[in-house]
Amino acid sequence: MPEPLFSQLLNAVEQAISDNADEVTELDRVIGDGDHIINLQRGLAALKVIENDFLNLEWSEALMKVGTTLMSTMGGASGSLFGTLFISMAKEARGQKLDSTTFSAIFYQGVESVKNRGKAEIGEKTMLDTLIPVANCLKESIANEIEFKQLLKNLSEQAHAGMSSTKGMIATKGRASYLGERAIGHIDAGARSSQLMICAITEVLSQQTDLC
Ligand code: ADP
Ligand code: MG
């Protein structure tokens, strides 16, 4: 039997994070406190322990379980922000059929909730510099009926571009904001981990022939 999609996605995300753990830790060490990957891995490990619980959950319930698990286990600014992303998506998803149009609207709303929670916008050198362009691209691509594989490619390109854009920025939110101009020249850890996770997800989805 093929591995359930949730486990495939979780394993791919975990792998991408552990493959790049040293690099991301160093990013957070230079302009933060170095715990970002440890926080993230704690959350992912907690999801791994309960992965079988996801087998029979309706998608809004699954999103809620991801969000509350991350929120209660991760810690750090990113724990509450990633938790908020999924909890907000879960609330929006309630009673809705899962398809690409509803998913794009729900992800967009989830990112809006992260913006509200962190009181941050694009250009402040945070995970939002990855998440906002991806949410915009997803919404526009679905509205323009872009073919599925092309859509996934566009999302991963937007995630990369958004992550890279943080290098030249001054941080105005989070720990890196204490550094002023000294933060310039370093990529934001949360922008990099968000890009890694999004690219891991688009890679798994691009291999799902039944979703094309
Ligand atoms: P902490 O900063 O508490 O040590 P983490 O290291 O886990 O938490 O996460 C840091 C990441 O969280 C940053 O790299 C940044 O991407 C993100 N972040 C911090 N503050 C905000 C905020 N106000 N809005 C959006 N993202 C933020
Ligand atoms: Mg940190």
Side-chain angles (χ1 to χ4, degrees), residues 11-122:
N11 290 337
V13 164
E14 264 190 323
Q15 189 68 50
I17 292 301
S18 62
D19 286 349
N20 296 280
D22 291 348
E23 178 211 313
V24 184
T25 295
E26 183 60 13
L27 294 176
D28 191 38
R29 197 190 58 74
V30 179
I31 58 170
D33 58 358
D35 63 351
H36 182 56
I37 283 293
I38 296 170
N39 291 337
L40 204 45
Q41 286 182 322
R42 199 182 310 119
L44 294 171
L47 289 176
K48 188 78 189 161
V49 170
I50 57 166
E51 70 180 324
N52 289 337
D53 295 2
F54 287 87
L55 285 173
N56 299 312
L57 288 184
E58 180 267 317
W59 75 295
S60 151
E61 292 168 344
L63 288 166
M64 183 59 86
K65 205 173 192 60
V66 171
T68 52
T69 304
L70 295 180
M71 187 75 94
S72 62
T73 58
M74 271 185 69
S78 62
S80 100
L81 294 164
F82 285 135
T84 296
L85 175 67
F86 285 95
I87 290 170
S88 165
M89 287 173 70
K91 287 181 183 161
E92 286 293 312
R94 242 173 237 153
Q96 300 223 52
K97 190 169 107 23
L98 173 56
D99 62 29
S100 52
T101 307
T102 51
F103 185 81
S104 72
I106 283 161
F107 183 71
Y108 190 90
Q109 188 49 52
V111 174
E112 284 295 307
S113 299
V114 176
K115 287 162 69 175
N116 291 334
R117 175 86 188 209
K119 300 192 174 45
E121 248 300 341
I122 198 158

Side-chain angles (χ1 to χ4, degrees), residues 126-140:
T126 71
M127 59 173 72
L128 285 165
D129 292 306
T130 299
L131 296 175
I132 293 173
V134 169
N136 289 340
C137 174
L138 181 59
K139 201 171 169 193
E140 283 160 26

